[in-house]
Amino acid sequence: MSRAPRPRLPLRLRRPQPWAQQRPTWRDARPAVIADAVKAALARPSGNWFVLGAARDIAPGRAFGRTVAGIEVVAWRDAAGRLVAGPGACPHLGAPLALGPVHCGVLRCRWHGLALDGAPFAGWEPFPAHDDGLLAWVRLDGAGGELPLPQPVLPVRPRPAGTVAAVHTATGVCEPEDVVANRLDPWHGAWFHPYSFADLTVADSPAGGEPSEGLTVEVSFKVAGRAVVPVTARFTAPEPRTVVMHIVAGEGRGSVVESHATPLGPDDRGRPRTAVVEAIVATSRRPGFALARAAAPALRPLMRAAAARLWRDDMAYAERRWQLRSSGRLPD
Ligand code: FES
Ligand SMILES: [Fe+2]
C-alpha cells in the first residue's frame, strides 16, 4: 500500500540572534523612497469608497454606526440581508439612528419611530454600500472628492472556500497617509516587531518609488522559540487608503493581509483620528489546513490578537509620524 508523501514541514530552526546584532536597515529604508511610494499610493483612485468595518460586524437585526471622514454613517442589513448605509442622523430631529433596533430589515428611530428600509425616505438618502464578503464599504462622494466608482478597488484575495479570515480594527490619532507610510516601510519589520519577524530583507524596491509591482520582502515569521516560517511577501497599494501584503512564496502562499485606513474625523482636541481595519485572509495547500478551517471560530481570535499586537506598535509609528508631519519636523 503506497502512502502519500508527508508534506515537508515549513518550519526552520533559527539560531538565536540578539536584537541589536541584526543588520541595520536604515540605510536601505530611504525616506525619499518611502515618501515617493506614499505619494504614488495617494494619487491612485479610490472612487470615494471607505472601509466601514468587518462585514460580519453588521449583522441582521442590529444597526452599526461609525463616523467616516466626519460624516456620521449608519449601516444595517435590509430584509434580503443586503448591506445598506446612509446618514446616521434621523431626518426628523437628528436622533442617532445607530441606536435604533432593526426588525425584518427595517431600522426604527428610537425617538419617534420613523422607519427606514434602506430606500430614500423623508429626506434621508442612502449612501452607496458594498459588501465584499469580508469588509463593508461605504461611498461618500462629499468626503472623497474624486470621480465616483461603482465599486471599491479590491485587492486579489484567495477563494473564500479555502481560507480562514479575521478582521481586526485599531484606531489612532493620525491620518490615513500615516498608516499607509508605516505599511510602505517594510524595513522596520524585524527591528520594530522582533517578536514576530526575523531576517528581513527587501528584495527589490522600485527605483522611482512607484510601487505598482510592489515591494518584495523576504522574511521569517516567528512561530515559537527558535521556530520560524520563511516566506516571500509583496506589498502593494491598490488605492490611496489600502496597503496589501500578499504571501507570494513559502508557507501560506496566496494568503493576504489587507490594511485599510479609514479617516474618522477630529477628536475633541481637533486632531485627526483614523481607524485601521485589517483583514487577514489565510490559506494553505497543506492538507491539515482543512482542520484549521474547521477550527476557524477558535483561530479568529488568535489571528486578531496577533494583528492587535503588531498594530499597537504600528499605530504608535503612524501617530508619531503624524505628530512630526503636522509640526513640520518629518525628516525628508
Ligand atoms: S428624531 Fe427620529 S423620529 Fe424623531
Ligand atoms: Fe509594522
Side-chain angles (χ1 to χ4, degrees):
M1 194 174 73
S2 72
R3 271 194 166 177
R6 280 176 73 84
R8 240 168 15 106
L9 268 177
L11 295 179
R12 304 263 187 287
L13 287 180
R14 181 179 172 273
R15 200 152 15 109
Q17 183 191 38
W19 178 80
Q21 282 174 24
Q22 60 184 317
R23 192 183 72 82
T25 51
W26 69 272
R27 280 195 180 81
D28 300 328
R30 297 205 311 278
V33 170
I34 298 169
D36 285 353
V38 172
K39 210 166 125 196
L42 296 181
R44 299 212 167 86
S46 74
N48 302 329
W49 288 95
F50 297 83
V51 169
L52 199 50
R56 63 166 56 223
D57 285 347
I58 308 172
R62 204 156 36 92
F64 173 96
R66 177 159 280 164
T67 297
V68 176
I71 298 170
E72 193 183 355
V73 177
V74 65
W76 73 97
R77 301 281 173 185
D78 71 8
R82 278 185 304 254
L83 178 73
V84 289
C90 179
H92 175 222
L93 282 175
L97 290 170
L99 300 182
V102 177
H103 290 296
C104 302
V106 174
L107 169 65
R108 201 168 288 273
C109 178
R110 290 179 67 216
W111 284 13
H112 313 90
L114 182 140
L116 295 169
D117 64 3
F121 184 70
W124 185 91
E125 290 283 336
F127 297 134
H130 181 82
D131 180 342
D132 69 20
L134 188 58
L135 299 173
W137 299 71
V138 63
R139 199 180 83 197
L140 300 173
D141 294 336
E146 293 177 24
L147 215 57
L149 292 175
Q151 293 203 339
V153 180
L154 293 178
V156 177
R157 285 183 190 153
R159 275 187 310 110
T163 62
V164 177
V167 178
H168 170 73
T169 302
T171 57
V173 175
C174 62
E175 289 179 321
E177 77 149 89
D178 302 301
V179 169
V180 168
N182 166 269
R183 295 300 278 165
L184 291 176
D185 164 16
W187 294 273
H188 76 257
W191 279 100
F192 198 40
H193 310 291
Y195 44 83
S196 283
F197 306 114
D199 307 327
L200 184 146
T201 53
V202 178
D204 60 63
S205 62
E210 170 57 48
S212 56
E213 290 303 310
L215 294 160
T216 304
V217 173
E218 308 282 350
V219 65
S220 289
F221 285 98
K222 288 190 178 172
V223 180
R226 292 169 53 207
V228 296
V229 178
V231 299
T232 306
R234 185 167 297 144
F235 290 79
T236 52
E239 57 106 275
R241 290 178 287 274
T242 301
V243 179
V244 186
M245 182 188 78
H246 283 97
I247 304 292
V248 293
E251 179 64 15
R253 183 155 69 93
S255 299
V256 175
V257 177
E258 302 175 12
S259 308
H260 300 275
T262 298
L264 300 177
D267 67 7
D268 49 13
R269 290 167 56 188
R271 303 173 307 174
R273 297 187 75 245
T274 293
V276 177
V277 181
E278 185 156 278
I280 306 126
V281 189
T283 189
S284 172
R285 275 142 228 242
R286 201 160 282 282
F289 197 70
L291 273 179
R293 293 207 57 235
L299 278 178
R300 279 194 193 101
L302 295 177
M303 292 165 75
R304 276 199 293 266
R309 185 167 187 194
L310 287 167
W311 270 109
R312 267 199 297 278
D313 288 335
D314 281 331
M315 193 55 90
Y317 178 131
E319 289 186 326
R320 170 78 176 175
R321 185 180 188 274
W322 177 77
Q323 284 164 11
L324 295 172
R325 201 162 59 81
S326 58
S327 58
R329 292 180 295 142
L330 187 69
D332 50 19

